[in-house]
Amino acid sequence: MQRLRSVLTIVGFAIGIAAMVLLSSLGEGLRQFVIQEFTQFGSHIVAITPGKTETFGMGGILNTTRPLSLEDSEALKRIPGVEQVVPVVFGTAQIKAVGRSRYTDVAGVGALADKAWKLEVSQGSFLPQEDIQRARAFAVLGSKLKRELFGGDNPLGEFVHIGGNRFRVIGVMAPKGQFLGTDLDDMIYIPANKGLQIFNRESLMEVDVFYSPAVPTERLTENIRRLLIERHGFEDFTIVTQDQMMATMDNILRILKYAGGGLGAISLLVGAVGITTILMITVTERTSEVGLLRALGSTRSQVRNLFLGEAVMLGLVGGLAGVLVIALLVVGVRLFVPGLPVALKGEIVLVALLVSMLIGLMAGVRPALNATRLSPIDALRAE
C-alpha cells in the first residue's frame, strides 16, 4: 500500500510537470516559429506604410495624408546605404488561363522583390527592371498556381487574365512555402503599377527598404524620414524597423510562453493538495517507524528532514518522469508532424524540475511537522 501511494504521488507530480513543460514548449516553439518567419527575408529591413499611428488635432478635418507613391519608392533608392527598395500592393483576384480560373493572392511589387525577399525562379525570369511607372504587363507565377492553371505544360509565353487585364507569363517561382499563413507558392507577382491599377488604389500598401549592415539603423531611418517629409510636407507615414518589430513580437511571445508555464504550475499547485494528503496518510501509517527512530536517538529535526527529503525526492522523480514523457512527445511530433512548432529547451526543463522539488517540499512540510510532534512512547504504543 505504501508503494502504491508513492507511485500515485509520483504520477501526480509527473502529470503536473508534463502540463507545465508542454505548455511552455508550445509557447517557445511558437516564438521560434514567428521569429524564423520574420527573419527569413533578412534582418536589415525597414517597412514604410502610409499614415501615422499617432493622432493630432482635429481628427478627420485636417486629414491630408498623401499616398505612398511609386515616385517615393524611387526616391528612397537614392539614400546612401539602401540596397533594394520594394514597393508593395497586395490584393485578391480571379486568375484565368487556358480555360481554368482560380481566386488567389496578387502581389504588385518591384523588379527586385525576388532578390530582396530571397525568392528563387525555377523557370524563365522575374519581373524585368524598367520604368516603374510604365512597367509592362508581365506576370510570374507561384509554383502551386502554375500547377493549378497549367498542370505539367510550360506556361512561359502564355497569357493569364487578372481582373480583366491580360498579362504574359515570363517566369515561375521555386517552391517557398508559407509566410504567416500566406501561401507564397499560390501567388502571382505583377509590376506594382499594374497592381495599383487593378485594385484601384492611389497609394502603395507598403515600401520595404533593404539596407547594408554597415549602415546604422538610426541613421538610415532618419534619412528616410527627412526625405519623405521633404516630399510630403510633413510626417504622414510610419517607419517600422525589423529590430522594433522583432522586439515587440519577442516580448509578446515570451509572455505567452511564461503564461503557458504558469498555467501548468497552477495545475501542479492544485495537485499539491492531493499530494499533501497522501503524504499525511503516509506519516500516519509510519507512526511506529517514527517512534522507533525517536527511541533510537533521532532528533525531531532529523525526523523532519527525513520526511522532507522523501517529499522532495518524490517531487524530483515525478518531475523527471513528466519531462521524459514530454521529451518523447516532442520527438514524436518532430517525426510525424514536423510543421507543429514545439521546442523543448534546457531552461524549461531546469525550471520544471526546480518547481517540482519546491512543490514536493511545500507538500511535505505539514506531514513532516506532524511526524516531529509524535512522542516516542505514543508512537511505539500505536504499533
Side-chain angles (χ1 to χ4, degrees):
M1 185 60 72
Q2 170 63 27
R3 183 173 299 174
L4 177 61
R5 288 199 180 92
S6 297
V7 171
L8 290 175
T9 305
I10 292 173
V11 171
F13 275 109
I15 293 174
I17 289 299
M20 179 181 172
V21 174
L22 178 61
L23 292 173
S24 298
S25 298
L26 286 173
E28 176 64 19
L30 180 62
R31 188 179 78 86
Q32 292 184 5
F33 171 76
V34 172
I35 291 175
Q36 186 178 4
E37 288 287 287
F38 274 94
T39 56
Q40 65 173 309
F41 301 124
S43 57
H44 295 87
I45 307 172
V46 172
I48 308 165
T49 55
K52 189 68 178 172
T53 54
E54 290 87 352
T55 302
F56 302 97
M58 304 170 64
I61 298 177
L62 300 179
N63 184 9
T64 58
T65 300
R66 291 185 56 183
L68 203 55
S69 63
L70 292 172
E71 292 83 355
D72 289 331
S73 67
E74 288 296 292
L76 290 168
K77 294 179 180 177
R78 298 194 293 269
I79 295 177
V82 171
E83 295 180 341
Q84 287 121 14
V85 176
V86 181
V88 179
V89 55
F90 276 108
T92 302
Q94 185 180 29
I95 316 297
K96 295 181 179 178
V98 291
R100 298 178 180 176
S101 67
R102 182 177 180 83
Y103 283 94
T104 191
D105 294 325
V106 179
V109 296
L112 297 176
D114 60 329
K115 296 180 177 58
W117 293 345
K118 295 180 173 51
L119 304 174
E120 295 182 4
V121 178
S122 61
Q123 284 183 265
S125 62
F126 198 68
L127 300 173
Q129 295 193 48
E130 51 190 349
D131 186 349
I132 196 169
Q133 295 286 358
R134 299 177 179 79
R136 288 170 289 177
F138 290 143
V140 180
L141 306 178
S143 59
K144 181 178 180 180
L145 181 61
K146 177 262 175 184
R147 187 170 62 252
E148 293 293 332
L149 294 180
F150 295 94
D153 298 335
N154 185 359
L156 300 184
E158 300 291 336
F159 289 97
V160 296
H161 290 80
I162 308 173
N165 296 274
R166 195 174 72 161
F167 291 78
R168 181 186 293 276
V169 178
I170 61 170
V172 177
M173 305 304 296
K176 180 67 175 179
Q178 295 191 352
F179 174 68
L180 296 180
T182 300
D183 191 350
L184 299 178
D185 299 331
D186 195 10
M187 184 175 287
I188 185 168
Y189 300 88
I190 63 175
N193 65 321
K194 299 298 181 184
L196 290 172
Q197 293 172 11
I198 289 175
F199 299 114
N200 194 25
R201 292 181 59 94
E202 294 183 354
S203 174
L204 296 167
M205 298 174 68
E206 184 175 299
V207 176
D208 293 337
V209 178
F210 295 76
Y211 60 97
S212 169
V215 179
T217 304
E218 294 76 13
R219 186 197 301 170
L220 182 84
T221 55
E222 184 55 35
N223 289 338
I224 292 174
R225 180 177 291 105
R226 188 181 302 118
L227 183 144
L228 291 179
I229 289 176
E230 288 175 359
R231 294 181 58 84
H232 291 201
F234 61 98
E235 190 170 345
D236 58 350
F237 51 87
T238 299
I239 299 175
V240 179
T241 67
Q242 183 84 331
D243 295 339
Q244 292 171 331
M245 186 167 55
M246 292 302 302
T248 302
M249 294 296 298
D250 195 41
N251 287 336
I252 294 173
L253 294 171
R254 279 185 185 278
I255 291 173
L256 285 177
K257 182 181 76 170
Y258 293 135
L263 289 174
I266 290 174
S267 68
L268 186 59
L269 280 172
V270 174
V273 176
I275 294 169
T276 302
T277 304
I278 293 176
L279 290 175
M280 290 183 71
I281 295 173
T282 300
V283 170
T284 304
E285 292 186 342
R286 295 170 63 184
T287 301
S288 60
E289 181 183 340
V290 173
L292 182 60
L293 288 173
R294 295 298 308 280
L296 292 175
S298 298
T299 63
R300 292 179 184 273
S301 60
Q302 287 175 327
V303 173
R304 180 196 61 202
N305 294 339
L306 173 65
F307 279 88
L308 286 179
E310 288 186 10
V312 172
M313 186 57 65
L314 286 174
L316 178 60
V317 173
L320 288 172
V323 170
L324 179 61
V325 169
I326 296 304
L328 294 175
L329 179 64
V330 170
V331 172
V333 167
R334 288 181 176 175
L335 285 177
F336 301 105
V337 195
L340 186 65
V342 181
L344 182 60
K345 297 195 69 175
E347 63 184 51
I348 296 176
V349 173
L350 181 61
V351 171
L353 294 180
L354 289 175
V355 169
S356 178
M357 288 190 290
L358 179 62
I359 296 297
L361 181 64
M362 293 168 58
V365 168
R366 181 67 181 275
L369 291 178
N370 288 345
T372 59
R373 293 192 184 101
L374 294 174
S375 69
I377 297 176
D378 293 338
L380 290 172
R381 187 178 298 160
E383 181 64 16

